Amino acid sequence: NAGVMQNPRHLVRRRGQEARLRCSPMKGHSHVYWYRQLPEEGLKFMVYLQKENIIDESGMPKERFSAEFPKEGPSILRIQQVVRGDSAAYFCASSPEDRPPGANVLTFGAGSRLTVL
Amino acid sequence: AQTVTQSQPEMSVQEAETVTLSCTYDTSESDYYLFWYKQPPSRQMILVIRQEAYKQQNATENRFSVNFQKAATSFRLKISDSQLGDAAMYFCASPNTGANSKLTFGKGITLSVRP
């Protein structure tokens, strides 16, 4: 069981470019969560997805950020026209079906560190 | 909105000693779960322990145990016989009200272990 796989581990972009971060959940997990961690901060929730559905995107910035979890393939967090303030570590986590709500342990990936020059 | 408060930014403990990390939270739920995660320098988030709020018994995982006081909304992590490998950031987390397993994290506490 390979766990939650994130790639790339490190990504450098110049201002105005696009960043794409990928996440493959653990085998058997159908729920994916994306979090952002700024330096010296805790993790901030961004978005929660199930296959082909965005369930909760209350933590996503309104512009430039989008996420998807297609029927086939990894979940992708996309940041368009990156700015320096987007520099952070982005973590993906997965869990099995949520019964009961809030009970499942999230398994985290190792994170993707985005640096915007 | 759910909030989780970790008021101590840093703590230090002597190897083999015991240390307790504090966390308070707010919730309007009666049944919920609380978590402590560890983030070592590798930045991998690792589950340390989970507490079910409706269980009165404090959770224990080897050297890690919880002091859970539901009425005070306090969820403290106790590390016994501290080891050098325990040095990390520790985050307290609770699920948002009624909303699946989406977690709200505290700001974390950096624990150093002195040899």
Side-chain angles (χ1 to χ4, degrees), chain A residues 93-111:
Chain A
S94 71
S95 73
E97 189 174 358
D98 211 7
R99 289 185 181 162
N104 286 316
V105 173
L106 297 188
T107 301
F108 283 84

Side-chain angles (χ1 to χ4, degrees), chain B residues 17-58:
Chain B
E17 298 292 309
T18 295
V19 64
T20 299
L21 311 181
S22 299
C23 172
T24 58
Y25 61 94
D26 70 58
T27 181
S28 57
E29 300 292 307
S30 56
D31 282 347
Y32 50 90
Y33 295 77
L34 297 163
F35 304 84
W36 277 97
Y37 278 87
K38 168 184 177 181
Q39 188 178 42
S42 67
R43 292 193 296 114
Q44 177 80 50
M45 294 289 287
I46 302 166
L47 177 72
V48 175
I49 201 164
R50 180 181 78 161
Q51 173 75 43
E52 300 172 73
Y54 63 85
K55 286 190 174 180
Q56 293 192 355
Q57 186 174 7
N58 288 324

Side-chain angles (χ1 to χ4, degrees), chain B:
Chain B
Q2 194 91 340
T3 58
V4 177
T5 302
Q6 294 180 256
S7 57
Q8 308 154 304
E10 297 179 353
M11 286 197 75
S12 180
V13 63
Q14 189 75 36
E15 193 176 6
E17 298 292 309
T18 295
V19 64
T20 299
L21 311 181
S22 299
C23 172
T24 58
Y25 61 94
D26 70 58
T27 181
S28 57
E29 300 292 307
S30 56
D31 282 347
Y32 50 90
Y33 295 77
L34 297 163
F35 304 84
W36 277 97
Y37 278 87
K38 168 184 177 181
Q39 188 178 42
S42 67
R43 292 193 296 114
Q44 177 80 50
M45 294 289 287
I46 302 166
L47 177 72
V48 175
I49 201 164
R50 180 181 78 161
Q51 173 75 43
E52 300 172 73
Y54 63 85
K55 286 190 174 180
Q56 293 192 355
Q57 186 174 7
N58 288 324
T60 298
E61 289 286 341
N62 301 313
R63 297 183 296 106
F64 298 88
S65 61
V66 162
N67 183 323
F68 175 50
Q69 298 177 12
K70 190 174 181 180
T73 61
S74 170
F75 181 54
R76 296 193 293 178
L77 176 68
K78 178 181 169 183
I79 306 173
S80 303
D81 185 26
S82 297
Q83 300 176 1
L84 296 178
D86 294 334
M89 282 202 74
Y90 287 82
F91 294 95
C92 176
S94 76
N96 281 29
T97 302
N100 51 69
S101 294
K102 179 174 81 174
L103 294 176
T104 295
F105 285 85
K107 287 195 171 184
I109 176 170
T110 300
L111 177 67
S112 58
V113 181
R114 305 186 302 274

Side-chain angles (χ1 to χ4, degrees), chain A residues 79-96:
Chain A
I79 311 172
Q80 296 178 290
Q81 299 174 353
V82 297
V83 301
R84 288 214 173 107
D86 297 333
S87 295
Y90 292 83
F91 287 89
C92 170
S94 71
S95 73

Side-chain angles (χ1 to χ4, degrees), chain A:
Chain A
N1 195 336
V4 178
M5 304 302 293
Q6 287 189 250
N7 67 81
R9 290 295 308 275
H10 300 276
L11 182 64
V12 179
R13 286 288 179 264
R14 297 191 179 278
R15 282 179 296 170
Q17 291 183 320
E18 179 180 287
R20 282 189 179 225
L21 309 177
R22 296 174 195 79
C23 169
S24 296
M26 276 188 74
K27 188 175 181 181
H29 285 191
S30 56
H31 298 215
V32 166
Y33 303 78
W34 285 94
Y35 287 82
R36 177 165 63 177
Q37 185 178 32
L38 296 171
E40 309 304 323
E41 294 281 330
L43 276 69
K44 301 291 186 187
F45 169 78
M46 298 182 75
V47 62
Y48 161 45
L49 310 103
Q50 296 177 21
K51 285 285 187 182
E52 299 185 281
N53 281 306
I54 296 175
I55 306 301
D56 181 346
E57 56 182 348
S58 59
M60 287 277 271
K62 296 287 185 248
E63 297 178 350
R64 303 187 297 108
F65 285 72
S66 62
E68 62 177 7
F69 189 15
K71 187 176 180 180
E72 301 290 338
S75 175
I76 295 176
L77 179 67
R78 181 183 179 202
I79 311 172
Q80 296 178 290
Q81 299 174 353
V82 297
V83 301
R84 288 214 173 107
D86 297 333
S87 295
Y90 292 83
F91 287 89
C92 170
S94 71
S95 73
E97 189 174 358
D98 211 7
R99 289 185 181 162
N104 286 316
V105 173
L106 297 188
T107 301
F108 283 84
S112 293
R113 179 172 291 280
L114 172 65
T115 301
V116 180
L117 302 178

